[in-house]
Structure formats: C-alpha cells, structure tokens
Amino acid sequence: MADQLISTAVHDQLPENYARPETQRPRLHEVVSDAQIPVVDLADPDLAAVVARIGEACATHGFFQVLNHGVPVELMDAMLAVAYDFFRLPPEEKAKLYSDDPAKKMRLSTSFNVRKETVHNWRDYLRLHCHPLEQFVPDWPANPPSFREIVSAYCREVRGLGFRLYAAISASLGLEEEYVKKELGEQEQHMAVNFYPKCPAPDLTFGLPAHTDPNALTILLMDQQVPGLQVLKEGRWIAVNPRPNALVINIGDQLQALSNGRYKSVWHRAVVNADKPRMSVASFLCPCNDVLIGPAAKLVGDGSPAVYRDYTYAEYYSKFWSRNLDQEHCLELFRT
C-alpha cells in the first residue's frame, strides 16, 4: 500500500483518481490574494488590547497570525528542515511507516482517509501523537537522526503557546483565564506533518479540500516561501500569506461549541503548486476523550440559549472520522 505515497515519485501528469469533478475544483482565479487575516503581537504590553484583538479575530475570521509568540525562530526553521529531510528518505524507509488506519497513533499516510475516498488529495503526511512525549517518542521515526529531538522540543514549545492562547481566549469571552484549559481536561496533542509535492495540475485537485478542524485549537507552522492555505470568509476564499516568523492559529470545532457559537471554526483548505513542493506542520490541541463538552454556562441565558448539546470528544471524533472531510460542518450534528 505504501506505493500510494505521492512523494516517492515525480509525476508528469495528474492521476485520474486525483482530479476533482468540475464543480468541486479550486477555481484558483477567484481566490482573494491580497486580503489579510488578523495579526496579533503577543509582546504588546497592553494585555487587554491583546485579549480584545484575539477575541475579535476568533469571532470574525476564526484564524489569526501571532508574532512574538515565544517559539524560537531557529526551532521553527529546524522543524521545517527536518520535515523536508524526512520526506526525502528512500521509499523503502518510508514504506515501513505507512498505514491507512486512522486509529494508529503514529503513521505515514497519504490524502486524508484513503479507505473511504473516491477522489484523493495531493498530500502525504506523517501523523504523530505528542503528549505525553515520553509515551510516544519511542515509536516515532528514528530517521533522520535528529528527528525525535527537534520535533520533541518543538512540541513542548507549541503546547505552552497553546495554553497561553487558551487563557487569552477564555478572558476574551469573559470567563476565568483557566476556564478553557480546565474544561477540556488533560489534553492530547497531535501533529500532522503535511507534504504537498509539486503538482502537475493544481487547478484540478486539492492538497486538502474544505474542512474544519475537529479539535480545540490548531497552531500551524507554514512554509514561508510557498503559500497554500486558504480560508473561507463571507463566501470567498482568502489566501493566507504568512508573516515572517509568524505562526497561524485557528479555532477548532470544540472552541466553537464551548463559546456557544460566538467563535468560529471556519472552513479552510490547502491548494498545491506546480513549481514547488510545500510543507506545513499542524499541531492540534485536543480535549480529553471522556470530558463532557458543551457551551460554557456563563454564555448561556434567556437571550442566548445553548446552541449545542453536551457530548464527549470521543463521540465527536468518531463521528468526524466516519464522514468525508468536506461534508457539512460536523458540529451541525450536535445542535440542540
């Protein structure tokens, strides 16, 4: 099955099972290329202003970039470099890690869910569980030799940043700073190292089609040279152009539920490039599987009834993986 990996060969033509029907193609000429998603400088000494900007971004875009976030730039560079080195490994080395089983906690795979799809996506990816590190690192790839050390260090930094953002998001909703972190329990942390090879027909396929993230918060490290992330805003696709040394943050489905719909887990997608490969590293903070998730009591009242019923993350995640990526927003299944 590892011969399904698209990163093990150069493709002069797009295989038929990657070409989208005409109505589902990316229409790249319609994408807004010069719009800006909000940017928040976390080093601003006016903490109230930082909280307000984060709250506004969560409500209007569901996405924002953070500057001066505390993750060392040299570690971000090393993370991308070791990711590229991993995908340059010989095919036989990568074949040992291949799996199309979504339940596996460490796997190299392709597209999204090849067991269910009829049309594939132009992406190979390495999926890792990252917390607690001591439990999962021994099963991570041993090559490149620096992989485990660099990725572990990056995971620790990103987890700390995620919890700082939780505090700001809680405060922006008028909740105690610890609310989100406490409410979501002992959180798992996953990573997807996404590799999008050069594509012979980027107008016919996706790296990933439109989707929302099922987790709570996503922290994305993007290739500065090759943009590809696009966000849906008021019916139009907006290209996300990463600022130097920034990380891109997006609200996942669980924070939309917890905020009673005030904050948006928005549709986003990845497009591909004819001239250059692209890499991105997505870190996902995920609620504890058995914790009960629902709108914060303080955000529910006579004027604003609960939009979503309570559920466990295990129930939600199971439902998410049983569907196609680009079906209706999974949260719609949990409305009151």
Side-chain angles (χ1 to χ4, degrees):
M1 296 294 283
D3 58 3
Q4 293 198 50
L5 291 171
I6 52 173
S7 58
T8 55
V10 175
H11 299 268
D12 297 322
Q13 288 187 309
L14 188 74
E16 279 185 25
N17 57 347
Y18 286 84
R20 295 261 159 190
E22 193 158 345
T23 55
Q24 297 174 19
R25 291 174 185 171
R27 300 177 185 271
L28 297 173
H29 61 284
E30 296 178 4
V31 173
V32 181
S33 59
D34 56 354
Q36 296 294 327
I37 67 165
V39 177
V40 181
D41 185 348
L42 297 184
D44 187 332
D46 187 344
L47 296 181
V50 170
V51 166
R53 278 196 288 273
I54 288 175
E56 184 180 4
C58 293
T60 59
H61 287 73
F63 268 78
F64 55 99
Q65 299 192 52
V66 288
L67 301 173
N68 296 309
H69 40 66
V71 180
V73 172
E74 51 280 12
L75 183 56
M76 294 163 60
D77 292 342
M79 179 68 238
L80 285 173
V82 83
Y84 271 112
D85 287 345
F86 172 82
F87 279 98
R88 290 189 193 107
L89 290 172
E92 59 274 14
E93 179 104 8
K94 290 190 286 191
K96 297 175 199 167
L97 304 171
Y98 182 85
S99 173
D100 61 9
D101 178 3
K104 286 197 75 170
K105 297 185 187 302
M106 195 286 294
R107 70 187 189 279
L108 174 62
S109 198
T110 191
S111 190
F112 173 68
N113 189 350
V114 288
R115 291 182 177 184
K116 287 182 58 66
E117 297 162 349
T118 52
V119 182
H120 297 321
N121 305 297
W122 200 255
R123 171 184 84 137
D124 287 348
Y125 65 97
L126 178 66
R127 186 86 185 195
L128 303 172
H129 280 224
C130 310
H131 182 79
L133 282 166
E134 60 272 16
Q135 180 180 336
F136 295 114
V137 169
D139 295 325
W140 287 2
N143 283 317
S146 60
F147 184 90
R148 293 178 179 178
E149 181 183 353
I150 290 170
V151 178
S152 295
Y154 180 77
C155 287
R156 287 190 197 94
E157 292 287 346
V158 163
R159 189 174 182 85
L161 171 61
F163 289 156
R164 294 198 300 277
L165 291 170
Y166 275 171
I169 289 167
S170 297
S172 71
L173 288 165
L175 305 169
E176 294 174 7
E177 283 193 358
E178 289 294 305
Y179 183 86
V180 170
K181 185 180 175 187
K182 274 186 188 169
E183 199 68 15
L184 298 182
E186 180 57 32
Q187 286 172 74
E188 292 191 8
Q189 182 177 344
H190 304 168
M191 175 185 281
V193 183
N194 301 306
F195 182 60
Y196 306 97
K198 285 197 296 187
C199 179
D203 52 335
L204 302 185
T205 192
F206 287 103
L208 275 176
H211 64 285
T212 65
D213 288 356
N215 52 295
L217 191 74
T218 302
I219 299 173
L220 186 69
L221 171 60
M222 287 176 63
D223 192 325
Q224 299 280 330
Q225 309 305 318
V226 192
L229 174 65
Q230 299 176 352
V231 176
L232 191 63
K233 174 85 165 113
E234 295 168 354
R236 302 189 72 188
W237 287 102
I238 293 174
V240 176
N241 301 305
R243 294 283 190 96
N245 306 327
L247 290 166
V248 177
I249 312 299
N250 71 280
I251 296 301
D253 295 352
Q254 307 318 312
L255 286 182
Q256 177 167 326
L258 194 142
S259 70
N260 204 29
R262 289 193 196 181
Y263 290 171
K264 306 301 181 194
S265 174
V266 302
W267 294 94
H268 53 287
R269 66 186 191 180
V271 297
V272 289
N273 191 289
D275 303 314
K276 295 179 180 177
R278 174 175 169 262
M279 187 75 69
S280 72
V281 180
S283 296
F284 308 104
L285 286 181
C286 310
C288 178
N289 273 329
D290 56 5
V291 76
L292 207 57
I293 298 168
K298 197 172 177 181
L299 304 179
V300 175
D302 294 339
S304 52
V307 178
Y308 306 105
R309 68 169 175 85
D310 291 350
Y311 55 85
T312 64
Y313 187 57
E315 180 189 359
Y316 192 91
Y317 203 62
S318 168
K319 193 79 76 176
F320 181 86
W321 273 96
S322 70
R323 309 155 71 250
N324 288 328
L325 192 60
D326 53 358
Q327 276 180 257
E328 68 170 348
H329 204 307
C330 192
L331 265 179
E332 292 299 312
L333 306 176
F334 294 85
R335 279 188 175 270
T336 50

